[in-house]
Amino acid sequence: MKVSKNELTAALKKSFEGLGFSYGDYLDAAAMVTWSEMTGLDGLQTLERALPFIDAGNSQSPALGYRYADSNNPHPVLDAKGASSLLCGSRIVDLACSLARKNHSVMLRVDNCRNRLFALERLSNAGQRGLVAAMGWFKEGCFSWATIGAGQQYPALKQFVCAPIETPLHQSLWLFCSTAEKDCWELMSAALPELANANKSEQREPQTLQQAYADSLEQGIAMPVPLWEKFDLLTARVLVESTESSRAGAGE
Amino acid sequence: MTTATLSVMPASTIDGQQGLPMRPADVVMQLDRLGSFHQFRLSFMRTLMRRMITEKWQIEAPVFDLDSNGYGTVVYEVQAKYSRYSFVLFSHYLDDSLRNDRVIADQWDLTMALCEGSVDQEQLEHLRANVPLQEAGRVDSRVFVLSRANRSARNFNYVVDQLAQGSQPDVNKIAEVGYLYRTTAAYGSGKLGMADWDKVRGKHRDFSRPFAAEMFTCFMLRHFSLQQADFIARQRAPDTAVVLDDQIKRYFGIGNSTGLGMAPFLINHPQLINQWVEVRETALATVLVEGQVTDEALDNLQCTAKRVIQHLDEIVTDDALQRQSNQCVHDQLQQVVLPWLKEYGASLSSWTQLTEHAQANWRVETQELINSLLIELYPQLVDRLEEQMDIVERYDLVPEMPLVELRNSIERAYDWALKIDFSQPQEQGVFWYRSEEKMEPRLGQTNIDIGEERQMPLAIGRSVRECYDAICAYLAEYPNDDIAHFLLRQPEFRGIICRIQTMANCRYGEIRENLVHKAVLPMHLLRCKLSFFGVSKFDPRSRLWVRNTMFQGAPLISDFSSPIANQLADGWQFPVKPTN
């Protein structure tokens, strides 16, 4: 079956609301998943894998704080406390944008963050709002690296094959934001020397994402029926039983 | 009589209209005033009608496959300026006992779809299998509106009987209802697999204005309803039947039932509502500044006011409050406004003298009616705004803004919300929720009805208040923090802060009313949106849903090629009974 962008976004909003996300969170999360799917980044598949964890009592945004790794390191480090980036991605990018506006550029590391792919939509937003931005994360022997220029609509994506990363960082996300053009990759490589020998395995240009988005808009978005049915079940949690008395509340 | 003065107010931000004196939001965005808006020149039905006639849209029916009772399939092909479209309609038998205008219904007399391009047999069969199911069916992205309608059985049977007997129906009877069919929904914007609005606005320029495709669907429904009545009468009595007179045909509109489903739209799309209201206010301000008070303009105004008086006189509604309201406006127009214009009209140097006098002395609904009529007088000043009703909505946070600045912004822009004492029970007397029955929005009574914990976040005033209190408490400890840092600790406010910051750039948009007050009147929300659609003849069936009439008085498709088509395109608002 195929669904439209608006239909998917609406279904996701209600599903996330059904999961217990708060007002702003479910709007953001729906936008992140829809964008990831429409740009060809398999947002629905990622969500399907994430749902059992989120539904197991992990649907509230954690309060976040940051620290500096040491006195010589100017880059803040946050602990996402195991939250999905659906719940913390917006605020992390907000913080990066804010710090970049004040200090011209910033590099953030976010530890213990799940479903990091979704934060890419937020990063693109930062690009659209005039910042140079980049993010990177390890997953399954690969390092993913996304960059977006100031005023651009879509990011470029690269993947590098590399040796498995040490445990504390395998769930980390690195974010860069700058008010001016900057070689973020150089900063990233400096922060993670093991990337120096990584081999590029895949590259997607912004135009590829843009075309995928346009195709989804034109032809609709392929939707696995079982997942759609799962959305229905989650949505049912926000619906209220219909009674004779409640029908009066619709003007009957 | 007051003198012409223009208060210092923020200027319009509509393209090309900078510098105009605009009415302030604390006047315009009051719920009762929004609920007093009337259709006006830039309402969507009006602009669609002008576009169809100016661009000479061609509409034919290559498939008109009805049985003698009018049941079957019709496909209209529409050649508009930029593209070709198909309007596909299925007419079904429906037992009277199953006819239900509520969103929870699952069978209808007519079901329809507006599609891009021509429809081949395969697509037609797919539509036939799905369109009659409406919400229970699926269509694809070649479809961009799905709709259904129920027959006004009493009116329909009467009209067909009269035509079959060789007589025209009595316009006095028609005036009681005003339509043959009522539409109960027109879905667009990507619902049920249809094309997204982003696609429609980008690809189909003929329908790139808000709700243009939905309005066109209702117009085609009206066209079919008249064709079907003629067709059935001819089938029934081929020797005696006459076709419906064109003047009477124009007097038929399409009924519409609108319930609470429309209300959340206004709250959830504040940027779009801002745009609509700002365009309307810009049109008004333009007329007040640039519209010359000439004898011709004064005559036109008086003439239209007289027609409105007759129009109001002819509205039939069972709702006592609506009847009383119509009567009051009718009486005020007749007994106060027209005499005032007669006495002072010739000495007016600006219409501002009229609007200021109206604001000081006359009912809100009369004021807004006069505003609509003034805008009507100057097509050359306001029609350029037609293309500005749409906006790409985008809600962005400015995380680096100092929190103290946000607090000050709330105090300025949401002073109306901060004045509400939400500790008083009546201020949270109701809640909005979605029913399991087709997710229909409903209004529940706090502490009486179930579902309060699942309420929809439509109480913007309350959310702002909660956010404001949290900010004030936070600032006491961290006076120099920005929004990003506040949200790290208090993530639950990100949604409302995003809205507050976005709307800070909009003049209008936020409806200045506590929508969870015990006595809230959702009818005003419905009426506001319907006025932008361009409907008339409001007939509330309760305080939560309203019947109204679309396209009554509008030209027919056969008028598109008439020598007086342009005149017909513009003179159909506030319809009155045909005289012969």
Side-chain angles (χ1 to χ4, degrees):
Chain A
M1 93 186 257
K2 285 199 166 183
V3 298
S4 71
K5 172 192 166 193
N6 189 33
E7 196 174 20
L8 177 59
T9 307
L12 286 166
K13 279 183 204 168
K14 288 194 281 270
S15 299
F16 286 126
E17 191 183 351
L19 281 163
F21 283 36
S22 63
Y23 166 65
D25 287 339
Y26 66 68
L27 298 181
D28 290 346
M32 288 187 225
V33 176
T34 303
W35 184 91
S36 307
E37 183 63 23
M38 289 182 73
T39 49
L41 300 177
D42 299 330
L44 287 175
Q45 205 177 64
T46 307
L47 175 66
E48 193 164 21
R49 285 199 300 265
L51 277 177
F53 170 77
I54 295 172
D55 202 14
N58 297 296
S59 62
Q60 296 300 312
S61 289
L64 302 174
Y66 62 88
R67 58 186 169 80
Y68 293 92
D70 57 62
S71 54
N72 297 322
N73 188 339
H75 307 306
V77 177
L78 288 91
D79 182 359
K81 301 172 184 170
S84 167
S85 77
L86 292 169
L87 284 160
C88 63
S90 296
R91 290 180 296 141
I92 290 164
V93 175
D94 288 344
L95 180 66
C97 291
S98 172
L99 294 173
R101 296 272 187 213
K102 284 170 190 158
N103 308 320
H104 305 299
S105 69
V106 68
M107 174 179 169
L108 276 181
R109 195 182 87 210
V110 185
D111 293 340
N112 294 316
C113 183
R114 290 172 177 255
N115 321 130
R116 291 155 293 173
L117 166 79
F118 290 127
L120 197 48
E121 188 263 348
R122 298 285 105 179
L123 187 83
S124 302
N125 246 304
Q128 289 161 21
R129 281 149 53 185
L131 290 168
V132 174
M135 66 182 247
W137 68 100
F138 286 99
K139 191 172 185 189
E140 294 164 0
C142 283
F143 184 75
S144 297
W145 178 245
T147 53
I148 185 163
Q152 300 298 303
Q153 292 289 310
Y154 295 91
L157 269 172
K158 291 176 188 165
Q159 270 199 343
F160 299 87
V161 177
C162 57
I165 189 74
E166 60 174 293
T167 323
L169 296 180
H170 81 281
Q171 282 293 127
S172 295
L173 177 70
W174 286 265
L175 267 176
F176 300 85
C177 259
S178 173
T179 53
E181 288 298 328
K182 204 168 189 79
D183 190 344
C184 299
W185 181 246
E186 202 174 285
L187 279 172
M188 185 74 242
S189 305
L192 277 175
E194 44 272 73
L195 289 176
N197 300 321
N199 295 315
K200 190 163 69 177
S201 65
E202 197 187 330
Q203 180 156 344
R204 287 195 221 194
E205 298 301 329
Q207 295 85 344
T208 309
L209 273 65
Q210 184 172 15
Q211 188 58 50
Y213 190 93
D215 290 347
S216 298
L217 198 60
E218 170 65 30
Q219 296 152 19
I221 302 159
M223 167 58 65
V225 174
L227 185 57
W228 192 248
E229 289 170 350
K230 176 74 179 163
F231 290 167
D232 284 342
L233 290 174
L234 294 173
T235 297
R237 299 182 190 175
V238 301
L239 305 179
V240 176
E241 182 189 350
S242 184
T243 61
E244 279 310 309
S245 147
S246 81
R247 288 190 189 101
E252 238 182 33
Chain B
M1 181 178 158
T2 55
T3 54
T5 55
L6 294 174
S7 323
V8 178
M9 284 174 274
S12 170
T13 53
I14 296 285
D15 291 350
Q17 303 290 321
Q18 286 80 8
L20 288 169
M22 307 284 282
R23 293 197 291 175
D26 59 5
V27 170
V28 178
M29 298 308 290
Q30 299 295 334
L31 187 57
D32 64 332
R33 184 172 293 274
L34 293 171
S36 300
F37 279 9
H38 288 264
Q39 59 101 350
F40 71 119
R41 269 197 83 71
L42 304 176
S43 293
F44 306 142
M45 276 179 235
R46 302 283 307 283
T47 57
L48 172 70
M49 188 55 70
R50 284 202 292 277
R51 168 172 266 187
M52 288 192 293
I53 287 181
T54 308
E55 297 175 356
K56 298 183 169 52
W57 289 19
Q58 302 288 316
I59 301 171
E60 291 167 354
V63 177
F64 197 88
D65 183 16
L66 300 183
D67 68 16
S68 58
N69 292 310
Y71 305 127
T73 304
V74 177
V75 180
Y76 293 97
E77 287 207 340
V78 182
Q79 183 59 55
K81 183 177 179 182
Y82 297 104
S83 295
R84 195 171 189 78
Y85 309 93
S86 297
F87 179 75
V88 180
L89 181 149
F90 302 103
S91 168
H92 324 266
Y93 167 76
L94 182 66
D95 190 273
D96 286 347
S97 64
L98 297 174
R99 198 167 284 123
N100 184 341
D101 284 359
R102 294 273 310 289
V103 75
I104 57 173
D106 59 9
Q107 293 181 61
W108 304 270
D109 290 295
L110 302 180
T111 53
M112 299 147 269
L114 179 63
C115 314
E116 61 182 24
S118 296
V119 169
D120 61 20
Q121 195 59 37
E122 188 185 350
Q123 191 186 0
L124 184 59
E125 293 314 315
H126 183 259
L127 293 170
R128 194 192 308 285
N130 287 279
V131 172
L133 302 176
Q134 296 283 292
E135 293 95 331
R138 295 292 302 175
V139 289
D140 60 38
S141 62
R142 292 173 293 180
V143 177
F144 52 104
V145 180
L146 198 65
S147 181
R148 70 285 190 110
N150 283 334
R151 192 177 278 186
S152 166
R154 193 164 45 116
N155 229 16
F156 193 89
N157 294 339
Y158 165 71
V159 170
V160 170
D161 286 347
Q162 289 295 113
L163 295 176
Q165 290 165 25
S167 307
Q168 294 296 327
D170 178 358
V171 291
N172 292 311
K173 275 196 182 298
I174 297 167
E176 289 173 16
V177 179
Y179 48 80
L180 297 173
Y181 281 92
R182 279 188 302 276
T183 176
T184 62
Y187 293 124
S189 302
K191 290 188 180 70
L192 308 164
M194 283 183 280
D196 270 298
W197 170 235
D198 283 352
K199 172 183 171 180
V200 175
R201 69 146 67 99
K203 186 177 179 187
H204 299 305
R205 291 177 63 187
D206 302 301
F207 295 112
S208 60
R209 295 174 185 157
F211 292 95
E214 288 87 343
M215 296 301 106
F216 179 73
T217 297
C218 296
F219 177 75
M220 289 305 297
L221 165 62
R222 172 202 191 221
H223 175 69
F224 170 78
S225 73
L226 300 169
Q227 255 194 324
Q228 190 196 30
D230 275 343
F231 175 85
I232 297 173
R234 193 166 62 246
Q235 294 293 311
R236 192 182 296 174
D239 296 333
T240 56
V242 293
V243 296
L244 198 53
D245 177 79
D246 275 356
Q247 263 204 311
I248 299 177
K249 274 184 180 167
R250 288 188 200 102
Y251 191 54
F252 275 108
I254 276 299
N256 170 258
S257 288
T258 293
L260 283 189
M262 197 174 262
F265 181 93
L266 277 83
I267 313 305
N268 292 332
H269 297 274
Q271 280 184 306
L272 186 63
I273 299 309
N274 172 74
Q275 190 71 8
W276 294 1
V277 174
E278 185 155 353
V279 164
R280 186 181 189 275
E281 291 300 311
T282 299
L284 178 62
T286 304
V287 165
L288 295 182
V289 170
E290 297 182 35
Q292 299 293 313
V293 186
T294 61
D295 289 346
E296 187 188 357
L298 195 59
D299 281 351
N300 283 343
L301 180 62
Q302 288 169 309
C303 192
T304 317
K306 284 174 190 165
R307 188 164 73 186
V308 174
I309 290 168
Q310 186 184 342
H311 170 83
L312 290 169
D313 214 19
E314 291 174 0
I315 294 176
V316 177
T317 173
D318 292 333
D319 184 79
L321 274 177
Q322 185 66 52
R323 216 169 37 241
Q324 186 189 9
S325 170
N326 291 346
Q327 191 63 47
C328 287
V329 178
H330 170 281
D331 293 349
Q332 199 157 50
L333 281 175
Q334 192 163 55
Q335 295 162 19
V336 182
V337 178
L338 282 175
W340 191 91
L341 286 171
K342 196 173 174 187
E343 186 172 352
Y344 299 109
S347 63
L348 291 179
S349 58
S350 158
W351 292 118
T352 307
Q353 292 166 279
L354 169 62
T355 54
E356 287 189 350
H357 182 81
Q359 187 166 349
N361 298 287
W362 300 338
R363 291 167 58 86
V364 169
E365 193 161 354
T366 308
Q367 294 169 31
E368 293 307 327
L369 184 60
I370 287 170
N371 291 340
S372 282
L373 299 186
L374 287 175
I375 292 169
E376 201 70 46
L377 296 176
Y378 300 96
Q380 71 281 15
L381 295 180
V382 302
D383 284 1
R384 73 186 83 154
L385 298 169
E386 278 180 0
E387 297 297 343
Q388 301 207 33
M389 281 291 197
D390 191 27
I391 188 172
V392 177
E393 293 179 275
R394 184 184 170 119
Y395 297 85
D396 278 329
L397 195 88
V398 185
E400 65 273 21
M401 179 188 275
L403 199 57
V404 72
E405 196 177 316
L406 177 67
R407 185 198 62 193
N408 295 343
S409 171
I410 292 173
E411 287 171 354
R412 279 194 307 273
Y414 290 88
D415 55 336
W416 58 273
L418 299 181
K419 284 177 190 158
I420 301 167
D421 180 0
F422 286 100
S423 68
Q424 296 300 311
Q426 71 273 13
E427 300 292 354
Q428 302 197 69
V430 297
F431 62 94
W432 297 71
Y433 66 92
R434 285 170 292 232
S435 162
E436 64 181 4
E437 273 190 298
K438 280 196 179 182
M439 293 194 237
E440 182 182 52
R442 290 179 182 173
L443 210 53
Q445 294 180 73
T446 305
N447 298 327
I448 295 174
D449 292 319
I450 56 171
E452 193 180 342
E453 72 288 356
R454 298 178 188 188
Q455 63 180 296
M456 298 159 75
L458 299 183
I460 300 303
R462 184 174 61 197
S463 299
V464 169
R465 174 86 240 183
E466 288 166 356
C467 179
Y468 176 81
D469 289 346
I471 287 171
C472 290
Y474 183 94
L475 278 172
E477 200 170 348
Y478 306 100
N480 299 317
D481 265 5
D482 63 13
I483 289 171
H485 286 80
F486 171 69
L487 288 175
L488 285 181
R489 292 186 173 86
Q490 307 214 26
E492 66 273 27
F493 295 112
R494 192 176 186 282
I496 190 65
I497 289 177
C498 197
R499 181 179 179 119
I500 290 167
Q501 288 191 308
T502 301
M503 296 315 294
N505 298 318
C506 298
R507 178 190 314 278
Y508 306 110
E510 293 288 16
I511 295 168
R512 297 178 174 223
E513 181 72 58
N514 174 17
L515 295 179
V516 292
H517 189 280
K518 185 181 176 185
V520 67
L521 280 176
M523 184 62 68
H524 289 318
L525 294 169
L526 313 187
R527 274 203 52 171
C528 172
K529 190 176 175 200
L530 290 166
S531 77
F532 283 99
F533 283 7
V535 312
S536 58
K537 295 195 170 172
F538 293 102
D539 178 17
R541 309 304 289 180
S542 79
R543 75 185 183 107
L544 303 178
W545 70 284
V546 61
R547 280 187 180 160
N548 52 82
T549 312
M550 308 171 79
F551 289 108
Q552 191 177 24
L556 309 168
I557 289 175
S558 57
D559 292 327
F560 289 10
S561 54
S562 156
I564 56 162
N566 288 331
Q567 191 182 322
L568 290 170
D570 245 356
W572 59 278
Q573 67 280 20
F574 301 107
V576 295
K577 286 180 203 168
T579 48
N580 53 28

